[in-house]
Amino acid sequence: MSKKNKFFFIDCSKAADCCNKAQYEEANFLDKAKLYIHLAFCKTCRKFSQRNSKLTDLLHKSKIEHCPEEKKQQWREEIKKEFAEERT
Amino acid sequence: MSANTLDPNKWVDRYSDYLFNYTIVRVNNREVANDLISETFLAALKSAKNFKGEASERTWLISILKRKIIDYYRKINSRKGKAEVKINYSDDFNDGEWLEEQVADQFDKTAEDEMENTELGLAILECLDSINEKHAEIFKRKTIDGADTEAICNEFKITPSNLWVIIHRARTALAACLEKNWF
């Protein structure tokens, strides 16, 4: 494959990488263009991409929250203290 | 020797997000949720010797948390001296305001959807249990907190390409797990 072709035609692992970045809005224009060119002829990646977008959608819909880190630290200490007392 | 054993020092890392999401949709108040989870951990420690190992650690913690949530509602209701019953249409001042509340719900967004979504959140967290703990943490920081790639790389001392590989594996595992358990 010529250099030019290599530039535009990426393999599946690179496409998956671009696709993942796109889920987090971190793919630049060139990445996206390469991804779409790849998707045009690769059925497996089309399927993967579809699934990936669906997952992003679900993650947004679920509204999961991360528990605040300072609370976690506080609980860790509480448990450690209590656990040590239980043992003695 | 039972199949399930308790490991209190790992509780916070393993289950706090799950418990937090479980509680927040039930009490709808962060402060209260945090207090309830803290109480749950302490109560669990106290009764750890009663743990028979028949259920998983998480199921067991959830069952304690459930009781704590019920207790919480009992307490706030007894403070008022009666169970909370809200009847709106009794005062004369707001005549006609009820009309607004009689409008049909939107078809595309119902209470059931909301409920389904909160359960979905728990299903996602359950699925994340099955992947490597550190990878799950990285995935959560990236996806739920929406943290910067650079920030996470510094925090966990990994390179961006490491990060994307971890994210890729986590997403693939999660998608497969959700397809099995959710759809």
Side-chain angles (χ1 to χ4, degrees):
Chain A
M1 215 187 275
S2 73
K3 248 188 184 169
K4 205 172 169 189
N5 279 353
K6 253 189 189 163
F7 186 75
F8 280 109
F9 293 96
I10 51 179
D11 62 13
C12 292
S13 68
K14 187 84 185 65
D17 192 39
C18 290
C19 180
N20 284 326
K21 282 182 183 165
Q23 304 305 320
Y24 297 94
E25 312 279 331
E26 281 183 36
N28 57 33
F29 177 73
L30 205 60
D31 281 339
K32 277 190 201 161
K34 286 182 200 169
L35 173 65
Y36 285 124
I37 292 171
H38 183 86
L39 290 184
F41 60 81
C42 180
K43 198 179 170 191
T44 318
C45 286
R46 263 204 304 276
K47 217 170 166 189
F48 171 80
S49 170
Q50 235 171 26
R51 221 170 151 207
N52 217 357
S53 320
K54 199 171 168 189
L55 181 64
T56 305
D57 198 34
L58 284 178
L59 284 164
H60 281 305
K61 263 208 305 207
S62 73
K63 299 194 188 97
I64 313 181
E65 287 182 52
H66 218 173
C67 197
E69 191 53 44
E70 63 261 36
K71 276 281 155 201
K72 283 190 184 177
Q73 197 49 40
Q74 189 192 324
W75 293 334
R76 267 186 215 117
E77 276 157 25
E78 277 176 8
I79 289 175
K80 222 175 176 179
K81 205 173 125 215
E82 198 70 17
F83 196 41
E85 274 174 27
E86 289 273 312
R87 283 195 163 169
T88 51
Chain B
M1 185 74 196
S2 52
N4 295 303
T5 50
L6 295 180
D7 190 358
N9 290 322
K10 291 272 169 65
W11 283 353
V12 176
D13 293 323
R14 282 189 188 152
Y15 308 116
S16 55
D17 286 323
Y18 188 88
L19 296 180
F20 186 70
N21 281 285
Y22 186 93
T23 322
I24 201 82
V25 298
R26 284 166 175 81
V27 300
N28 209 5
N29 180 328
R30 275 150 202 285
E31 284 303 309
V32 174
N34 285 334
D35 289 346
L36 287 175
I37 295 169
S38 174
E39 279 176 35
T40 304
F41 282 141
L42 295 181
L45 273 176
K46 284 215 172 72
S47 53
K49 51 184 172 302
N50 298 330
F51 181 69
K52 294 193 198 81
E54 281 163 7
S56 72
E57 234 179 351
R58 189 182 44 215
T59 315
W60 184 67
L61 285 171
I62 283 287
S63 68
I64 296 171
L65 179 61
K66 266 186 201 158
R67 299 241 59 97
K68 293 281 167 203
I69 294 172
I70 294 170
D71 283 349
Y72 162 73
Y73 276 112
R74 279 209 188 115
K75 212 163 75 194
I76 56 170
N77 275 331
S78 70
R79 212 180 291 151
K80 285 178 203 145
K82 58 180 191 305
E84 191 172 353
V85 180
K86 280 186 183 159
I87 299 173
N88 281 330
Y89 314 109
S90 57
D91 55 342
D92 302 328
F93 303 109
N94 302 324
D95 221 9
E97 259 191 19
W98 53 273
L99 272 176
E100 213 166 294
E101 292 177 28
Q102 297 284 351
V103 177
D105 284 336
Q106 281 171 285
F107 289 113
D108 53 341
K109 202 165 187 291
T110 62
E112 223 164 74
D113 278 350
E114 287 285 306
M115 253 152 61
E116 221 169 62
N117 288 347
T118 59
E119 307 240 310
L120 170 66
L122 297 178
I124 291 172
L125 288 171
E126 259 173 63
C127 280
L128 281 175
D129 272 4
S130 59
I131 63 176
N132 178 302
E133 248 170 70
K134 200 177 152 206
H135 293 182
E137 190 57 35
I138 293 172
F139 177 76
K140 281 191 222 163
R141 289 276 294 132
K142 180 84 194 140
T143 314
I144 303 170
D145 300 349
D148 250 13
T149 305
E150 208 178 316
I152 301 173
C153 288
N154 287 335
E155 194 180 322
F156 292 91
K157 305 217 166 29
I158 50 175
T159 65
S161 53
N162 278 154
L163 174 87
W164 287 110
V165 170
I166 290 169
I167 296 281
H168 176 71
R169 289 192 188 147
R171 291 186 76 94
T172 317
L174 189 58
C177 176
L178 282 177
E179 265 168 18
K180 211 170 87 197
N181 300 327
W182 183 251
F183 296 109

